[in-house]
Amino acid sequence: MLKINIVCVGKLKEKFYADAVSEYCKRLTRFADVAVRELPEKRTLAEEGAAILKELRGYVAVLAVEGKQLSSERFAAKIAELKNAGKELTFVIGSSCGLDACVKSRADLLLSFSEMTFPHQLMRVILCEQIYRAFMINGGGEYHK
């Protein structure tokens, strides 16, 4: 079973965000072992970066607006490739202030979901939904239309 880590800075303050992430993580238990690691916000990006680096495992995909954009199908193919290779996968979502360059330079993939800017709390929901969608695509499920 694929191990997926989601490392993020800050806590989900709104219950509806936390409920949505919880729902997608519950759905994902059929396909992967998902762990969400919330790190506290620090005074500087460098301090946050150092804490993030300690949490990185396996293939690292860092969410960054300047990253590569993938369709849902290409994202699913990447997840299937990593699963088939027996890799552990870590996604990183920075704080509302962004990410230190040390985290971006450690990434195997800088991943962008859009040229638009999203709240980092909402981005966690979007990421979990896209991971779930990827497994549904790979499994031939009806979810992705």
Side-chain angles (χ1 to χ4, degrees), residues 50-65:
I52 291 168
L53 289 176
K54 292 177 184 175
E55 300 295 326
L56 303 182
R57 308 282 182 274
Y59 185 92
V60 176
V62 172
L63 277 60
V65 70

Side-chain angles (χ1 to χ4, degrees), residues 6-55:
I6 300 173
V7 176
C8 31
V9 178
K11 291 192 171 283
L12 290 179
K13 296 174 181 128
E14 289 84 3
K15 184 179 182 320
F16 57 89
Y17 286 141
D19 288 347
V21 169
S22 178
E23 176 62 27
Y24 284 114
C25 286
K26 183 177 89 176
R27 292 180 187 191
L28 282 165
T29 59
R30 297 184 333 191
F31 311 107
D33 178 15
V34 179
V36 177
R37 176 81 168 108
E38 291 182 333
L39 302 177
E41 292 184 27
K42 304 282 187 178
R43 291 186 311 146
T44 67
L45 287 181
E47 289 177 292
E48 288 178 359
I52 291 168
L53 289 176
K54 292 177 184 175
E55 300 295 326

Side-chain angles (χ1 to χ4, degrees), residues 15 18 36 39 57 76 79-80 84-85 96 99 126 141:
K15 184 179 182 320
V36 177
L39 302 177
R57 308 282 182 274
I79 288 179
N84 292 338
S96 59
L99 282 165
I126 294 169

